[in-house]
Amino acid sequence: MFIKEKITVEVSRKVVTLTLDAEGDDLLVLNAYIESRLQLLKDIEDIKWYSNKIDFFVVMPQNGWETAELAIEIKKRLGL
């Protein structure tokens, strides 16, 4: 599984969205990977995130972050 081909990171107004394009076990593994990376980012930086579907995440910058900067940081931390 190539992570770069399975994750789409987009800036939409004041949030960054992550969409996962995988199925079955690959989707579960990819979801767990994203959650672990976002949790690390949340612990270190001032962000909020949530996932209402297994294949979709919304990340909201808080103090000191611009949305585009956050998207770049997420891509860097995910190795994209």
Side-chain angles (χ1 to χ4, degrees), residues 2-33:
F2 296 103
I3 291 177
K4 291 179 183 180
E5 298 171 0
K6 303 289 183 181
I7 303 171
T8 304
V9 179
E10 297 177 319
V11 174
S12 178
R13 296 187 183 178
K14 297 283 184 180
V15 300
V16 178
T17 60
L18 287 83
T19 306
L20 312 181
D21 182 25
E23 296 178 1
D25 289 341
D26 287 346
L27 180 58
L28 295 175
V29 169
L30 195 52
N31 178 280
Y33 173 74

Side-chain angles (χ1 to χ4, degrees), residues 26-80:
D26 287 346
L27 180 58
L28 295 175
V29 169
L30 195 52
N31 178 280
Y33 173 74
I34 298 292
E35 283 187 1
S36 69
R37 295 297 183 209
L38 289 177
Q39 191 61 44
L40 287 174
L41 189 61
K42 182 179 177 181
D43 290 344
I44 296 169
E45 308 294 343
D46 197 9
I47 68 163
K48 292 184 181 180
W49 66 273
Y50 70 91
S51 176
N52 59 352
K53 299 187 308 184
I54 194 167
D55 63 346
F56 187 76
F57 293 85
V58 175
V59 185
M60 297 161 286
Q62 301 299 306
N63 301 327
W65 281 106
E66 293 295 326
T67 310
E69 291 174 327
L70 181 58
I72 291 168
E73 184 65 23
I74 288 171
K75 286 181 180 182
K76 184 172 82 175
R77 298 224 180 180
L78 294 177
L80 303 177

